[in-house]
Amino acid sequence: VQLQASGGGLAQPGGSLRLSCVASGSTYSINALAWYRQAPGKQRELVATMDSIGRTNYADSVKGRFTISRDNRDNAKKAVFLQMNSLKPEDTAVYYCNSATYSDPPIRYWGQGTQVTVSS
């Protein structure tokens, strides 16, 4: 599985950004798609995840502001999006796309990070 993320950039506090991630390769094996982030000097943390039947999970810090969604219509590729509204400076981080397979334990794949900077 290969993951290609895009959509990061600079936003002002209170602004919005939308991240996209396209998965290719053995996409039939993908169960959950997720976004993680890592701020300078901090550990990577889960932001949001959505499984194959649409169940979602969000970090408390982004609930009500971020929305994760998926597009599974293309059998060859799957996409996951992160709509980020009401951005705060503390949302500044490198955001990573992640996929987990149906296997037990799941195999995880990572995309390259995309920088999100929230600053006035």
Side-chain angles (χ1 to χ4, degrees), residues 80-99:
V80 63
F81 309 96
L82 187 68
Q83 179 65 43
M84 304 185 293
N85 298 329
S86 302
L87 284 163
K88 303 177 181 180
E90 50 263 44
D91 294 319
T92 295
V94 178
Y95 285 70
Y96 296 91
C97 178
N98 171 275
S99 68

Side-chain angles (χ1 to χ4, degrees), residues 55-69:
R55 293 175 297 189
T56 60
N57 185 44
Y58 292 92
D60 288 342
S61 59
V62 306
K63 284 180 180 177
R65 300 188 298 120
F66 291 11
T67 303
I68 190 170
S69 59

Side-chain angles (χ1 to χ4, degrees), residues 35-89:
W35 290 96
Y36 287 73
R37 67 185 181 187
Q38 187 167 19
K42 294 187 177 181
Q43 289 189 333
R44 191 173 296 188
E45 63 175 358
L46 176 68
V47 176
T49 184
M50 177 180 276
D51 67 13
S52 59
I53 59 173
R55 293 175 297 189
T56 60
N57 185 44
Y58 292 92
D60 288 342
S61 59
V62 306
K63 284 180 180 177
R65 300 188 298 120
F66 291 11
T67 303
I68 190 170
S69 59
R70 287 177 64 150
D71 184 352
N72 295 327
R73 292 173 296 175
D74 187 335
N75 287 330
K77 293 184 178 181
K78 293 182 179 177
V80 63
F81 309 96
L82 187 68
Q83 179 65 43
M84 304 185 293
N85 298 329
S86 302
L87 284 163
K88 303 177 181 180

Side-chain angles (χ1 to χ4, degrees), residues 5-9 17-20 84 114-116:
S6 61
L17 284 172
R18 187 172 187 256
L19 305 183
S20 301
M84 304 185 293
T114 184
Q115 177 70 46
V116 171

